[in-house]
Amino acid sequence: LSPHVSVIAMPLSCVINETGPNPVVSILWLHGLGADGHDFAPIVPQLVDPAWPAVRFVFPHAPVRPVTINGGMAMRAWYDIRSLSLSERADAEGVRASIADVEALVAAQTADGIPAERIVVAGFSQGGVIALQAALRHRARLLGVIGLSCYLPLTDALAAERSAANANTPILLMHGVDDPVVPLTLGEHARDTLQAWNYRVEWHPYPMQHQVCLAQILDLRRWLGERLMTIVNAEA
């Protein structure tokens, strides 16, 4: 694939990779704590099927902020982590600020001609938390939501604020069974909570830690392909 670099204006600094001219789908992919938008950009050649329509991958850089569990060190983070307990793991103010950032990213895509129903919101770890929190609140239907090695904090607020527009949007959750950073039980809690709310959740555990593996990339490729090929077929 020969990536095309977009010049679309973004509300956050982003790494942007377009798999062809005039993309008709956007995948917004949020990195984990301490990483940046470059972290998942190398996955694109392994992930993309040539049969897919042109896709714009958007990898935003999180703002730099102090992180309590890391001794207050400033780093790229979607929110502060004050404790490892689920009830205090994510600060609500930071989560809401990052939800607003995702809303602005979606708005930038729609302004450039890619509607919400052709946008996937994805994220790893902290980024996966924000992907779930933002996508399930979004007022227009999205193409899909992906949470990798993540968890679901602030469930009471999300339960009250989730949008009916995305009640049937497919959700993909993937997690390492040996994850020492976000234990598998937290991923299972996210899965069980979303299923109890009647979301369409596809769940995949893998024999890995807090990372991404080849089997997972292949499953991601299949899951995304199922969504993207509906667009191809609709336009045929």
Side-chain angles (χ1 to χ4, degrees), residues 6-12 16 108-109:
S6 173
V7 294
I8 181 175
M10 289 292 180
L12 289 176
I16 300 176
Q109 298 306 299

Side-chain angles (χ1 to χ4, degrees), residues 12-236:
L12 289 176
S13 177
C14 302
V15 176
I16 300 176
N17 188 327
E18 296 180 352
T19 64
N22 305 313
V24 298
V25 175
S26 287
I27 300 176
L28 311 181
W29 199 308
L30 282 61
H31 62 76
L33 177 66
D36 63 21
H38 295 283
D39 196 33
F40 277 91
I43 203 174
V44 172
Q46 302 176 64
L47 188 61
V48 172
D49 188 321
W52 291 0
V55 179
R56 174 184 294 144
F57 285 87
V58 179
F59 301 99
H61 303 299
V64 175
R65 69 185 80 211
V67 177
T68 301
I69 62 162
N70 286 342
M73 183 182 300
M75 61 187 66
R76 292 199 180 277
W78 297 108
Y79 51 84
D80 186 21
I81 299 178
R82 295 169 181 163
S83 166
L84 293 181
S85 69
L86 180 60
S87 62
E88 298 180 357
R89 198 173 181 113
D91 80 283
E93 182 179 352
V95 168
R96 289 194 182 278
S98 290
I99 290 171
D101 287 336
V102 173
E103 286 288 334
L105 288 167
V106 172
Q109 298 306 299
T110 58
D112 197 50
I114 300 178
E117 64 265 25
R118 294 187 174 190
I119 297 175
V120 175
V121 182
F124 176 80
S125 196
Q126 261 205 346
V129 170
I130 299 303
L132 292 172
Q133 295 282 341
L136 299 184
R137 284 176 167 87
H138 192 65
R139 297 300 174 185
R141 180 176 171 81
L142 296 161
L143 183 59
V145 190
I146 300 171
L148 310 178
S149 304
C150 67
Y151 54 100
L152 193 68
L154 309 173
T155 52
D156 289 346
L158 181 56
E161 298 169 12
R162 58 201 175 103
S163 169
N166 284 293
N168 294 312
T169 299
I171 300 171
L172 177 64
L173 296 181
M174 302 172 136
H175 215 102
V177 298
D178 300 314
D179 192 331
V181 178
V182 180
L184 180 65
T185 53
L186 293 185
E188 292 172 333
H189 168 267
R191 176 201 64 194
D192 295 346
T193 300
L194 294 172
Q195 287 179 337
W197 292 345
N198 296 315
Y199 284 104
R200 296 163 52 197
V201 180
E202 184 172 323
W203 165 260
H204 289 274
Y206 300 90
M208 64 179 187
Q209 298 190 4
H210 198 62
Q211 61 193 101
V212 174
C213 66
L214 179 58
Q216 181 182 18
I217 292 172
L218 295 176
D219 286 335
L220 271 166
R221 189 183 204 194
R222 174 195 54 78
W223 188 89
L224 283 168
E226 289 172 358
R227 261 98 240 146
L228 270 58
M229 293 309 292
T230 62
I231 295 171
V232 172
N233 295 334
E235 294 183 344

